[in-house]
Amino acid sequence: MQFCLFSFALIILNCMDYGHCQPGPNYGPNPICKGCLSCSKDNGCIRCQHKLFFFLRREGMRQYGECLHSCPSGYYGLRTPDMNRCSRCRIENCDSCFSRDFCTKCKTGFYSHRGRCFRGCPAGFAALEELMECVEGCEVGQWSEWGACSRNNKTCGFKWGLETRTRQIVKKPAKDTIPCPTIAESRRCKMAMRHCPGGKCRQKKEEKNLMERAQKQHSIFLATDKTSQ
């Protein structure tokens, strides 16, 4: 019994003095040794328990190992038969990644698109602000030719008018909140014919008819007035 107690005391002193512990529920007096299979007071964890990830933390000129349940920002968990490790994301402006080359969350101010991070979404994609992701945008076709220059539904009778061109929506956006580009636009134009064909003749004829009707009504009025006298 005394021999067993003496052996246990030696193990505890060994952990305190040299900072390395073997598998078991006791991780030694150093908090950094938590989760370690083996630990050094100078370098921290050297090997981790099976389900934990080994992470090499750097603080200035010093670096030491830690055993973590999940990897910190900018790293992803890589499981191997030998030991699970935290590997750095190799994607620029990535906050967390699924693998070395696929980002799942970008840093603030960047949009996620197909595992990469962008300051602005690529052509053909629109920004979904609530998720900071790039989704398929509204796709439109080519512009039509400019229409006839007109004003008040007339293509003559004025010096200036408007001409319009349009294009069709060929693919609706992934979200209803994503706007489509404009599908119609107009611009000022000069009409080909300032005066409509026969416009002046028609106007003179209408004026003549009005004058004749006025003269006829006046003659009827005079005749009626004489009869009443």
Side-chain angles (χ1 to χ4, degrees):
M1 177 68 178
Q2 291 179 348
F3 178 77
C4 292
L5 290 174
F6 179 73
S7 300
F8 180 74
L10 286 177
I11 294 173
I12 296 298
L13 289 173
N14 185 52
C15 287
M16 293 178 64
D17 292 340
Y18 300 102
H20 61 274
C21 304
Q22 297 302 318
N26 186 0
Y27 305 117
N30 193 347
I32 203 173
C33 291
K34 186 176 181 180
C36 301
L37 290 178
S38 58
C39 184
S40 165
K41 67 177 181 180
D42 295 323
N43 299 319
C45 290
I46 300 173
R47 291 185 60 82
C48 299
Q49 293 182 17
H50 178 65
K51 293 184 178 180
L52 302 182
F53 293 94
F54 175 79
F55 175 64
L56 188 62
R57 187 179 297 276
R58 292 177 174 84
E59 292 183 352
M61 298 296 294
R62 182 173 178 246
Q63 62 182 20
Y64 55 90
E66 289 182 304
C67 294
L68 308 174
H69 288 280
S70 60
C71 295
S73 176
Y75 291 80
Y76 70 98
L78 180 63
R79 297 187 181 274
T80 62
D82 179 48
M83 183 171 63
N84 301 329
R85 299 176 181 273
C86 289
S87 296
R88 185 184 295 275
C89 299
R90 299 298 179 183
I91 302 166
E92 190 176 359
N93 301 313
C94 182
D95 192 46
S96 59
C97 56
F98 173 74
S99 63
R100 177 177 179 174
D101 299 317
F102 195 96
C103 186
T104 54
K105 182 182 179 183
C106 297
K107 293 181 179 179
T108 302
F110 291 86
Y111 296 95
S112 175
H113 176 62
R114 295 179 178 176
R116 297 289 187 271
C117 298
F118 297 88
R119 180 68 72 177
C121 292
F125 294 84
L128 201 59
E129 297 294 340
E130 57 267 29
L131 298 178
M132 291 302 290
E133 293 180 354
C134 295
V135 297
E136 290 186 350
C138 182
E139 186 177 345
V140 294
Q142 298 294 323
W143 286 108
S144 66
E145 297 293 332
W146 288 101
C149 188
S150 64
R151 181 174 176 181
N152 297 337
N153 295 324
K154 293 182 179 180
T155 57
C156 61
F158 302 93
K159 183 177 180 180
W160 298 99
L162 290 177
E163 57 184 3
T164 303
R165 66 176 183 176
T166 60
R167 57 183 176 181
Q168 301 295 322
I169 296 174
V170 297
K171 188 176 182 180
K172 293 183 178 180
K175 297 286 185 179
D176 293 336
T177 54
I178 298 174
C180 284
T182 180
I183 57 174
E185 61 181 14
S186 300
R187 67 182 182 183
R188 192 167 180 251
C189 58
K190 191 174 183 180
M191 287 191 173
M193 293 185 293
R194 175 74 178 273
H195 304 287
C196 295
K200 289 185 177 181
C201 295
R202 189 181 298 110
Q203 184 178 0
K204 289 181 179 180
K205 187 175 181 180
E206 290 177 354
E207 291 176 355
K208 183 180 180 180
N209 291 336
L210 287 174
M211 183 65 69
E212 289 178 352
R213 284 198 297 269
Q215 290 176 352
K216 186 176 181 179
Q217 290 176 357
H218 182 66
S219 298
I220 294 172
F221 174 76
L222 291 177
T224 304
D225 186 56
K226 288 181 180 179
T227 304
S228 61
Q229 290 179 358

